[in-house]
Amino acid sequence: MTTAERPWMDESLSNKERAEKLVENMTIEQKIAQLHGGMETINIYGVSNSMGDVDDEEEMAQLMAQIQIERHVPELEELGIPRFRITNGPVGVGMGDGHPSPPATALPMTIGVAASFDPELAYEYGNIIGQETSDLGQHVLEGPGVCLHRTVTAGRNFEYFSEDPYLSGVMGVEVTKAIQNHDVIAMGKHFVVNDQEYERFRTNVELDENVLRELYLLPFEMLVKDGDVAAIMSAYNRVRGTYATENRYLLNDVLRKDWGFEGYVQSDFWSARSAAPSINAGLDHEMPDAKWFNEDNIKSAIEDTSLEIEVVDRALVRRYTQMFRFGHFDSVYDPKEIDAQAHGAVSRKIGADMAVLLKNDEKLLPLSKDAGKILIVGQSKFAEFACQGGGGSSKVDPLYTVDPEPGLKDVIADLGGSSELSSFIVERDLSNLEGAVAAAKDADVVLVMAGLIATEGVDSESMLMPHNQNDMVAELLKANDKTVVVLKSSAPMVMPWLKDAATVLEVWNQGAEDGHVVGDLVFGTVNPSGKVPTTYPEAEQDWIGEGHEERYPGVNLGEGYNTITYSEGLEMGYRWFDANNVTPAFAFGHGLSYTDFELSNISVLGSAEGVKVTATLTNTGDVAGSEVVQVYLGVPSEGQPPKRLVGFAKVNVEPGQSTTVELDIDAAATHHPLGVWDVKAHDFVVPSGEFTVYVGTSSDDDANVSTFSV
């Protein structure tokens, strides 16, 4: 058809003008049909209410699989509106439009991306996701997720980056840019304070405005301003008594007025709770069905003037503007085969670069390729099969996987080594632990593989590894002095056996290339360079909720649901440990290497305009490696924690060489590094007083401290 017949297809118009032309030519029935997903309504509440009782990631994945089909908005051929295809993220291309969802590359978990402290790695990660989303003919990838790790037990920590808002924002921005570079809409989620899965469909979250702005909104602000994210997904929970999907302050005042967001807002699946109140507040699109945004509700609301047709038009214009922006009206559905081997190779590279060497007291790592008899031991999910992790709607159907034993054998063969490898799989009830101990005593080196696979819909019951794994690790450590504990985790954990372990390597839930990644790391093909993105507590009582039920799981205030109060204020994560003088097992930003580094010649220039840091980083060891120089700032304002991360740089240095590291921290940057939220000014302001600058390689590194005054 010509542009005269379909004026919205005139490419000389702006994307918004085209969207407006399209909506002008739609009937009310067509408009309503485009406000929601195309899935037939099912009793999801019967499913979701049972999620809190699910304690196994496999069972959760099966539950979520019931709701994966029909992730789309139906096409309107008469207007040239294509079928709008949506796939889940953010740890790869998860449940997409169709049943079953097509397989894709099973990437490492998002928490590992943050552990890399490497924005370039985050872009590579997002690039694979964006490419595969495009290859599979999908228009939207529901990710990245930038909620914070307020508690280490939160079920979706594996989907989120970190406990730190700046680190989360930096990584989220790069993932967003990479995804959208493939003409795929990225969708930041879950807006906002969906930091726990406990009763997520009902819970209310209360927190002060400065805490909301300085911590929990900050990475979303960065997505909008630095990443130009096209869409935002609203959360399930209530915020200050109002459901996030009906929260006009968040969806309109903050997102659009304060930040200038021009994209659209989609509900999380079945998170919408109304028609007129939600659309008026700024919710533009309901997924996956028309439970609320249906003809009866919308027409009735327009008739009784609780909803105006202009607001319906606004919602559609917002989404169509982004569809025109990314060329979705001109694209043809033509799914392509994913280049599994090429993408797997990238997954292997970035997977190794995000691993964190927590301990290496006896310098047991890296192992020699001729290490003799090496025993892999652990429970099946970690020691027998590739640890994919990430239960729930974001779970990826992998194109292939590399299990631990064959993966390590590949690495040994590539190195020309003579090491002999075998495995012993321990039962969950430890009924054959005695045999595992005997096998460990007979080995030259033992690789104990253990961990945690978290899942959407339910928080972990404790900070301990499940299924008796801590008892297993403790006994195996006694059996052989040359034991390496390889953790495959969705989140940090408490390790009761830690004092007896000389060597601990955190590789996270690796996905497809598990076996190769672990092999690359333990044999030194790759020098680990990751850093702890969320603090590891030493004991289970070392967290913000100890003695504070109102903080988690909340308190029923007579309203039928729990209210979780963030009464810790800004003291969350490493900020809480610092403010309360609690020593963690591993501090935020901690991470060792197979070489050693030295920081020297540190210069700090600070003013109200920002901070400039220069330093010399020297590799004093005998192998090449990467170190992360980190800058923290103590801000002179009441209620502020001792320090906050404001800048970092990951630098590779050859053995015996030095390099100059420069960090220019601009006070006007979107993460407001020097600022505090001023309620009266309704803005971030730089307070007067003495600022403290910490330059080091972890949050507890106080070797280089200076001050400046504003």
Side-chain angles (χ1 to χ4, degrees), residues 149-177:
H149 298 174
R150 179 174 175 263
T151 70
V152 299
T153 58
R156 297 186 93 163
N157 279 349
F158 71 91
E159 292 188 33
Y160 302 145
F161 291 97
S162 166
E163 67 188 13
D164 183 78
Y166 172 58
L167 177 61
S168 298
V170 168
M171 297 302 177
V173 165
E174 293 305 310
V175 171
T176 296
K177 288 178 178 178

Side-chain angles (χ1 to χ4, degrees), residues 193 201-205 236-244 561:
V193 291
F201 284 90
R202 304 169 64 209
T203 301
N204 175 47
V205 175
Y236 286 117
N237 49 282
R238 295 173 168 94
V239 184
R240 296 173 178 158
T242 303
Y243 273 112
Y561 52 82

Side-chain angles (χ1 to χ4, degrees), residues 44-55 59-60 63 457-458:
I44 180 59
Y45 297 102
V47 174
S48 64
N49 288 339
S50 71
M51 288 182 180
D53 300 323
V54 177
D55 59 5
E59 185 180 350
M60 175 58 66
L63 273 175
V458 58

